[in-house]
Every structure is written in structure tokens, then in C-alpha cells.
Amino acid sequence: MASWPSLPSFDFAKRFVSEQILRQMLNYVDRDPEQNFPKILNLAKKVAKQPHHKAHAEKIAAWYENNPAVRLYINRLFERTHPNVKRRLVYNWFINAMLLGIPRQQELSAKLGVHIPNFILIDPTSDCNLRCEGCWAGMYEKHDTLEFETLDRIITEAKELGIYWIVMSGGEPFKYSRLLELVAKHPDMAFMVYTNGTLITEKVADALVEVGNLSPAISLEGWREETDARRGKGVFDRIMRTMDLLRERGVIFGASITITRNNLETVTSDEFIDFLIDKGVTYVWTFHYVPIGRNPNPELMVTPEQRAYLAKRIPYIRTHKPIQIADFWNDGELTGGCIAGGRMYFHITAKGDVEPCAFVHFAVDNIKEKSLLEVLRNPLFAAYQKRQPFSPNLLRPCPIIDVPQALRDIVAESGARPTHPGADSVLQEPIASYLDKRAEAWRRLADEIWAERHGTQKEAVAGSKK
């Protein structure tokens, strides 16, 4: 196994002092967010050493002062969250993962000559208690499980590289019997878990408060009719009960929504977003349907016109509702393009295969055979990173649905293998031709939107034809 430099004792001492100050600052805000949050932001602007940190503080301060929805969102986050969750999850995510972790990642990236991502997506198990139609992970072997010792090693190595944010999926992560034990063993980490929400009982909800550093993101497709149609009869009602349990206890939790051409208007409506806010949902991850996994169906993909609607609707929700919502893949402008392939994250399956993305089911390495640092050097990630961003129009970030030829070139160049039967169907006919046509149709619309936003129509159109 490879090794990497350790922080000198002076840096550890400096970090310890910084942590104590930051914890006191959070406690200060906690007493009266309305009065104290702006004061802390002003202090942050004055003491920030990095220009982008100062810029972030200024931007948040402006949002808080001028946008009632943002102000309500932040105040609620402090007022409604259980103290232990604030001490663990909020601190770990904002301070360890972002403020302290990212500079550490950048430092080691320069020293080691390998790009270190911000977070890792891991599947503890591929086992699941549901069988959802079109599941992106539906073709993985059903009973693969990562050993506790392997997961513990990955997380320990991640922290040594400055990575303090771990996301988990599956399968159903709450089917992994030692999930909360693992989370409790790493109290300085921030964990988020994509879950169907049906296994979170009162006992589990109490345990989430006790560990404090895990946030569930609960999957649903819209109202009862849409959710039960895909996930099974009665699932929507079970999810609602879970949300009530988490809200009552002050657990920070979110929702995860797959947007298709059929449910788009429903899940982005004022009525549905307001409903999620009332249920206590703090954040929403939205994913445009991609034809992979079990029974891939390109006809479920959002149309180019619907995607253009989302490019305006999601930013509107973010600035007019007290909730944070992300749009994969229209948020490429915020992230500088595709975040996969080890640039900002990568995916480890329950079998241990190291994939560039949750939706790109190809690998050249297995984490059971190599250290975290070693797999970050793999040729599949290198092929990804040398092409990122895949288009100068960052509204076209994805090598699956926006620049599909790029994914074919990456797989061929790296010699990556499919991680389950049928994973390569996305590269083959008839899906390949469908994606090419859809990508070209979206390119035309995306160029118009980009030109409208940036006033650079000639450059955008010329560059996007890559």
C-alpha cells in the first residue's frame, strides 16, 4: 500500500486552535441566528486568507441580507436542528470537509501529483428491500457487501488525504447492519446516505440523533401515485412517516428525486416543493433520468425543451424557497463541468469496483486490492480528467448524455471493463444513436441559453460543437 505525507505537529496544533475558534463561532450563531450570523460572516470576510473564501463569505452575506428565502432557510437550519446534529454534521461538513479539508486536498494534490476529490460515493451493500423500476443500480449483483474493515480503511485513508465527506448509496445502505457503527467510529466525518427511507424506524431515528453526523437523502418520485408506481404500493406513506420521525427529532435530511419526462412538472411545482419544506426536507438532489441499470428506457429521459425549463426553474426555486436544490446535470456551470472521474468525486461499488461515476459502470481497479491513493492514479480517471470539462458550454457537462462520444473514447483509451452485465449498453446501439441525437438537440438549446446568460453566442456555439 502507498503512503503520503503527514501533517507536521505544528499544523496539527494550528488546526486544533482553529477548530476551537470555529466551534465557538457556531455556538455564538446558535444563540440568535438572525443577529449573530451576519456578524460571523463579517468576521470571516476580514480574517479570510484565500480570496475565494472572502468572496464566498461576501456572497453568503449578501444572500442572507437581501433574500428572505435564504435568510429563513439558514435561520431554520440553526433553530430546528438537534444540538448534537449541529455539533457533528453541520460542523463536520462546513468546517472539516469544506474549510479545512479542501486546502489539505489541494496541498497533497500538488505534492503527490494526483487529483484528490472532495468526497467519495460508496455502496456498503448492493442488497435492497425494494425493487424499483429502472433502478440505476439494479443490475449489480444483489448480495455484494464491503467488509467493515475495508470501509473503515477507505474512510481512514480518505481523512489522511483531507476528505471528510462520505456519501453512501446501494442497494439500500440501511440494510448494512454495521452502518451506524461505522459512522460512530468516525465522528469527525460528514456522512450522507441515499436511502429509500423505509427502514428508518423510531429506534434508527434516535440513533441518527445520537451519532449526529449522518444525513439521509430519501428517494421519492413525486406524490403517492408516482412514488408507489415505481417503488411499490405503500412506499410513499412509509416515507412520509420516516420524514415525520426525522423532523420531530431535529435530524437534517433531504430528498433525492429522479426527474423523468413524466414527473418533471409535478416535482418542480410550487405545491410539491412547499410540501417537502413543510415535511422538514432541508435539501433536494435531482437527477435527470439516464438510461442505465435495470431495463434502461431512453423514452423516460427529459426532452431538451424540458431540460431548458429546468435550467430556469431550479435556480428560481433556490432563490425563492427556503430549501437548497441541486440539478444534475444543469448545474455544470456551478461546478465547472463534470465532477466525476476523481475530479470532485468517484464511486466504489459494493463489490469494490472503482467507477468514475454512479452512472458510468466501468472500472479498471478494485479498492480491495489497492489503497485509496493508488486507485486515484488509475488510467480511467486520467482519461476523464484530461478531457474535463467535456464542453466549454458548461450546460453540457456529462459524457453520457451531453458528449457521449467522450465516454466511448475514455473507455476505449483506458481499457475499462463493464462492472455488471449490460453496463456497456450505453455505448452500443440502439441507445448510443439515441443519446447522440438527444445530445445534439440539447446542444442547440444549451448554446442559446449560454449565450443569453453570458452574451457570447458566437464563442459558445463554436466551442460547443466539439
Side-chain angles (χ1 to χ4, degrees):
M1 296 288 184
S3 60
W4 42 84
S6 299
L7 280 173
S9 58
F10 173 76
D11 287 343
F12 276 121
K14 184 168 64 174
R15 175 173 174 141
F16 176 80
V17 173
S18 300
E19 287 181 349
Q20 302 313 305
I21 294 172
L22 291 167
R23 287 190 185 278
Q24 290 177 20
M25 290 169 63
L26 285 178
N27 291 335
Y28 177 64
V29 174
D30 211 15
R31 298 191 200 106
D32 188 349
E34 190 83 33
Q35 294 295 322
N36 295 334
F37 188 67
K39 295 178 183 177
I40 292 299
L41 288 175
N42 286 331
L43 177 61
K45 286 189 290 185
K46 292 177 181 178
V47 302
K49 295 182 179 180
Q50 298 292 333
H52 63 279
H53 285 160
K54 189 182 294 291
H56 288 331
E58 291 174 349
K59 186 178 293 186
I60 295 171
W63 285 341
Y64 189 85
E65 180 180 355
N66 301 318
N67 190 308
V70 172
R71 186 161 58 251
L72 179 59
Y73 174 80
I74 292 174
N75 290 348
R76 281 182 173 177
L77 192 66
F78 281 100
E79 293 166 356
R80 298 185 177 184
T81 304
H82 190 279
N84 196 47
V85 177
K86 278 184 282 195
R87 283 194 298 268
R88 294 282 179 81
L89 183 66
V90 175
Y91 181 88
N92 290 349
W93 195 85
F94 282 105
I95 307 304
N96 285 349
M98 299 295 130
L99 191 58
L100 300 177
I102 291 178
R104 172 66 170 160
Q105 295 159 19
Q106 294 170 342
E107 174 193 349
L108 286 178
S109 292
K111 287 182 178 179
L112 300 171
V114 60
H115 195 86
I116 297 172
N118 303 132
F119 70 99
I120 307 171
L121 173 65
I122 307 175
D123 302 342
T125 179
S126 61
D127 194 12
C128 188
N129 60 315
L130 301 182
R131 188 174 175 80
C132 303
E133 182 62 30
C135 174
W136 66 270
M139 291 303 293
Y140 291 123
E141 292 183 20
K142 289 295 170 285
H143 298 292
D144 284 329
T145 298
L146 288 171
E147 295 182 353
F148 184 91
E149 291 73 20
T150 301
L151 285 168
D152 184 42
R153 172 177 67 83
I154 295 169
I155 294 170
T156 300
E157 292 180 357
K159 286 190 285 188
E160 292 175 334
L161 291 172
I163 303 170
Y164 284 84
W165 183 18
I166 299 293
V167 180
M168 292 187 174
S169 186
E172 168 50 51
F174 283 96
K175 288 279 286 183
Y176 190 77
S177 61
R178 301 181 70 180
L179 175 66
L180 294 177
E181 179 186 351
L182 181 72
V183 171
K185 188 174 180 182
H186 297 276
D188 53 347
M189 298 286 284
F191 292 88
M192 193 196 79
V193 169
Y194 289 112
T195 173
N196 61 45
T198 62
L199 300 180
I200 299 179
T201 61
E202 290 191 20
K203 182 178 179 180
V204 173
D206 289 339
L208 290 175
V209 173
E210 184 177 352
V211 296
N213 60 333
L214 185 152
S215 177
I218 303 171
S219 300
L220 72 167
E221 318 302 320
W223 301 109
R224 180 180 290 104
E225 180 180 357
E226 294 92 351
T227 298
D228 286 3
R230 186 181 185 201
R231 298 185 172 274
K233 187 176 180 180
V235 169
F236 181 82
D237 290 336
R238 294 166 70 183
I239 289 173
M240 295 304 103
R241 172 59 176 159
T242 292
M243 287 185 173
D244 290 342
L245 292 174
L246 298 174
R247 185 189 68 247
E248 291 164 2
R249 286 160 173 77
V251 175
I252 293 176
F253 68 96
S256 174
I257 300 173
T258 299
I259 297 183
T260 71
R261 70 172 59 183
N262 300 326
N263 72 351
L264 177 142
E265 291 187 6
T266 296
V267 298
T268 60
S269 67
D270 284 338
E271 182 184 12
F272 188 72
I273 296 298
D274 289 342
F275 170 76
L276 293 180
I277 293 169
D278 290 341
K279 295 299 289 186
V281 173
T282 302
Y283 59 88
V284 180
W285 299 101
T286 65
F287 300 90
H288 303 187
Y289 175 80
V290 177
I292 59 167
R294 184 185 299 128
N295 301 324
N297 180 5
E299 295 300 324
L300 288 177
M301 295 178 67
V302 298
T303 67
E305 293 75 19
Q306 287 177 321
R307 188 167 172 183
Y309 167 79
L310 288 173
K312 295 182 178 180
R313 176 61 181 167
I314 298 298
Y316 176 89
I317 293 171
R318 273 198 288 256
T319 55
H320 289 76
K321 303 285 185 181
I323 193 169
Q324 287 303 298
I325 180 168
D327 179 359
F328 289 85
W329 283 245
N330 282 347
D331 278 345
E333 188 171 0
L334 299 179
T335 60
C338 171
I339 67 173
R343 175 177 168 253
M344 293 178 70
Y345 100 107
F346 67 97
H347 178 220
I348 300 174
T349 73
K351 192 175 182 179
D353 287 328
V354 179
E355 299 176 338
C357 173
F359 303 98
V360 177
H361 298 174
F362 293 86
V364 296
D365 277 336
N366 190 290
I367 196 65
K368 295 179 181 179
E369 301 163 356
K370 296 183 177 181
S371 71
L372 182 55
L373 180 58
E374 287 171 327
V375 301
L376 288 175
R377 299 185 190 278
N378 80 68
L380 179 56
F381 288 7
Y384 247 80
Q385 291 169 22
K386 78 178 186 181
R387 291 173 169 84
Q388 290 168 320
F390 295 104
S391 168
N393 183 337
L394 298 179
L395 291 170
R396 301 174 56 229
C398 180
I400 311 172
I401 62 174
D402 296 328
V403 193
Q405 185 58 46
L407 181 58
R408 297 165 201 152
D409 293 343
I410 288 169
V411 171
E413 177 181 307
S414 64
R417 55 177 172 76
T419 53
H420 61 73
D424 53 354
S425 64
V426 73
L427 308 180
Q428 300 173 353
E429 300 299 343
I431 291 179
S433 292
Y434 189 99
L435 291 177
D436 284 338
K437 293 176 182 177
R438 176 58 57 85
E440 174 58 23
W442 171 240
R443 181 193 66 77
R444 293 193 292 269
L445 270 179
D447 283 343
E448 293 177 7
I449 298 170
W450 189 263
E452 180 183 330
R453 289 183 179 180
H454 301 280
T456 55
Q457 186 168 10
K458 182 182 291 187
E459 293 176 11
V461 172
S464 293
K465 288 183 178 179
K466 279 189 175 181

